Amino acid sequence: MWALLSLAIGSFGIGMTEFVSMGLLPGIARDLLATAWATSQADAIAQAGLLISLYALGVVIGAPLIAGYAARFPRHLVLIVLASLLLVGNLLTVLAPTFETVAIARLIAGLPHGAYFGIAAIVAADLLGPGKRARGVSIVMSGLTVSNVVGVPLGTWLGQVAGWRTAYAVVVGIFALGVLMIALVVPSMPSEGSRSLRHELGVFRLGQVWMTLGVGAIGFGSFFAIYSYISPIMTEVAGAPEWAVPIVLVATGLGMTVGNLVGGVVADRNLARALVAAFVLLAVGSAVVGVAAHNPVTLVIAMLLFGAISALAGPAVQTRLMDVSGDRPTIAAALNHSGMNIGNSLGAALGGGVIALGWGYVAPAWLGIVLAVLGVGMVLASFALEKRAERIPVLQA
């Protein structure tokens, strides 16, 4: 259990560094883009939002390349190196003097993100053994969800009070603790052999890997379409004061924490049913948010439920990727987080698009229904194609 806890500490740090940036954008813009801030605060904040996109870009690029290259090395050693790189990337964020150098630091900080999660998920699954693999994945991912309950709200408050760099300094301390604990308590585990990066990248030739990545990107896009705009939904639609926004964020994080753990148990029982049920419920949850959005109390309750539902699919998608990757589980597991970050960008962009069309701040909830239904369709297609492929050799024989 101590080994799993040490891995979860690393995922807690990742969750905090990824999501705390959203609450700190005004402070970052005021500090690093003073000229633009003096002209237009909205434009300066929008420009600072590039830092979030660059971190996500780092995740998308780094996940397959680092995980593919690192598959030949012992996993225990790789996790120490990746957690150290996450520490360095956030330390550079603290020390970088200009917006341009902070932008480079955020890109660097994002590079090890997916590889860390992917390798940590495989280690956790191996530690718990057959029949409990998804539960091992959910424990590692619990650090990410708990960070949304504790780390992100506290980090945002600390950054507002003591300066935005202070929040990232706390993240550095979390990764330092993670490196120490991984080195001390995670058992040594063998590598996957002397495979080349080219061999590992062969995972992209597997159709089921692409299908599962699409499930994650489109399905999770449903969550991010709503979550990205929860602040204006809370203040402009529900009519709540700005200080109430952290309340709905904490409620969402609490729901995600519970949903993630339940999702691990359910996925171990029946992976296919868990995926279908998760995305069906995600469509229902999106509709509930849309209906509940006009009252702050009902919105908080709806987001608590929506957070729980959105996290149900996480362990199942991660486990499915490991199952369909053949002899390349490390890179496939890491790719899950590339898919999720594509979903992050896709959901936020499409959500912003329907708002820009003048459909209102509740429109992302209706969009979420569409994306979740597409996710259901892709899950059903994936398993149908798999069954068809299994029958073909029998018919030929």
Side-chain angles (χ1 to χ4, degrees), residues 9 12-18 20 86-87 90-91 94 106 151 155 165-177:
I9 288 173
F12 181 96
I14 289 176
M16 186 170 176
T17 192
E18 180 176 18
V20 79
L86 287 160
L87 185 158
N90 283 277
L91 181 61
V94 175
R106 296 314 293 159
R165 295 181 191 271
T166 308
Y168 292 106
V170 172
V171 174
V172 171
I174 292 170
F175 281 124
L177 176 61

Side-chain angles (χ1 to χ4, degrees), residues 344-368:
N344 187 342
S345 301
L346 178 69
L350 292 177
V354 295
I355 292 173
L357 287 173
W359 295 354
Y361 286 115
V362 181
W366 313 132
L367 171 68

Side-chain angles (χ1 to χ4, degrees), residues 148-150 153 227 245-256 300 304:
N148 281 280
V149 180
V150 181
Y227 189 69
V245 173
I247 296 175
V248 74
L249 295 178
V250 170
T252 307
L254 284 171
M256 291 171 65
V300 169
L304 174 68

Side-chain angles (χ1 to χ4, degrees), residues 160-238:
Q160 292 170 344
V161 172
W164 64 270
R165 295 181 191 271
T166 308
Y168 292 106
V170 172
V171 174
V172 171
I174 292 170
F175 281 124
L177 176 61
V179 171
L180 178 62
M181 288 196 65
I182 291 171
L184 292 177
V185 302
V186 174
S188 298
M189 303 188 78
S191 67
E192 295 174 29
S194 56
R195 296 171 181 165
S196 65
L197 176 61
R198 181 178 180 181
H199 171 83
E200 293 298 315
L201 291 177
V203 75
F204 288 108
R205 294 196 296 269
L206 303 176
Q208 285 292 346
V209 168
W210 283 105
M211 290 288 289
T212 309
L213 286 174
V215 168
I218 295 176
F220 290 126
S222 173
F223 170 75
F224 287 111
I226 296 173
Y227 189 69
S228 300
Y229 301 97
I230 191 58
S231 180
I233 293 174
M234 187 68 168
T235 56
E236 301 299 323
V237 180

Side-chain angles (χ1 to χ4, degrees), residues 60-155:
V60 173
I61 295 173
L65 295 179
I66 294 177
Y69 178 77
R72 71 190 72 182
F73 301 107
R75 291 168 181 163
H76 173 259
L77 176 62
V78 172
L79 285 170
I80 294 174
V81 172
L82 291 174
S84 299
L85 290 174
L86 287 160
L87 185 158
V88 170
N90 283 277
L91 181 61
L92 291 174
T93 302
V94 175
L95 300 176
T98 65
F99 179 79
E100 290 75 16
T101 53
V102 170
I104 294 172
R106 296 314 293 159
L107 178 66
I108 293 172
L111 291 172
H113 173 132
Y116 177 89
F117 266 119
I119 295 173
I122 293 174
V123 169
D126 288 347
L127 287 173
L128 290 188
K132 297 182 179 179
R133 297 173 70 238
R135 267 170 277 191
V137 172
S138 71
I139 291 173
V140 171
M141 295 185 69
S142 68
L144 180 66
T145 57
V146 171
S147 72
N148 281 280
V149 180
V150 181
V152 174
L154 287 180

